[in-house]
Amino acid sequence: MARTSGAKKARKKKPDSTEKFRQKLVAHQEEILNLYERDLKVGQEASDDGTEDIVDRANNSYNREFMFALSDSERLLLLEIEGALERLDGGNYGTCLNCSDEIPKARIRAVPWARYCIDCQEQAEQGVILDS
Ligand SMILES: [Zn+2]
């Protein structure tokens, strides 16, 4: 992919589209947090109105207990989402972290927290690209 689409200059503000993705990401985040809450309730009966609490706590800092309660995939996903939200704030959301190409819209829609374009994702899965 030698397409230089000026993706580095992601200064353009597109509040509508990014806001949609942000909502999607946050919804996913909450989904995972809700799973955690459910597990917590199974563990200890009396968890009254802990929803806000847990979301806040998890958002503020992924504390050990919280991260421990999640499965590996949930934890990874949460970190992916976190990273995507940071990229949204930083204005480089939707840009491949490896080749700086634009990540295809269809991919972003399917995987809103995608870090790489499809080519680079394949390389990442093969261990060619090392996540940092
Ligand atoms: Zn790429």
Side-chain angles (χ1 to χ4, degrees):
M1 287 269 171
R3 197 159 50 93
T4 31
S5 55
K8 276 270 168 189
K9 282 197 160 189
R11 273 278 148 199
K12 284 174 287 178
K13 287 246 169 176
K14 286 192 271 177
D16 289 345
S17 54
T18 54
E19 205 43 46
K20 225 186 314 177
F21 288 122
R22 184 188 298 276
Q23 281 166 16
K24 245 184 166 178
L25 288 163
V26 169
H28 270 286
Q29 203 175 32
E30 282 173 358
E31 217 173 281
I32 298 171
L33 297 177
N34 286 338
L35 280 178
Y36 168 66
E37 197 207 356
R38 188 205 58 197
D39 289 350
L40 200 74
K41 270 179 181 161
V42 172
Q44 40 172 276
E45 274 289 282
S47 167
D48 35 316
D49 54 359
T51 316
E52 300 299 318
D53 232 37
I54 285 162
V55 172
D56 279 353
R57 208 170 63 176
N59 279 339
N60 291 340
S61 64
Y62 293 120
N63 64 50
R64 215 169 265 232
E65 178 200 351
F66 171 72
M67 292 308 259
F68 186 72
L70 296 171
S71 72
D72 282 349
S73 56
E74 286 164 349
R75 195 158 40 215
L76 277 176
L77 185 53
L78 214 47
L79 291 173
E80 296 279 11
I81 292 171
E82 180 94 325
L85 287 169
E86 274 171 22
R87 290 198 295 283
L88 264 176
D89 289 337
N92 56 347
Y93 179 71
T95 301
C96 176
L97 290 187
N98 186 57
C99 68
S100 296
D101 243 347
E102 210 174 302
I103 300 174
K105 274 281 174 327
R107 174 162 166 73
I108 283 286
R109 263 195 290 270
V111 188
W113 49 87
R115 277 187 283 181
Y116 302 123
C117 66
I118 291 162
D119 285 348
C120 293
Q121 178 64 42
E122 271 171 24
Q123 292 180 56
E125 278 162 15
Q126 287 160 11
V128 179
I129 302 170
L130 290 181
D131 290 349
S132 54

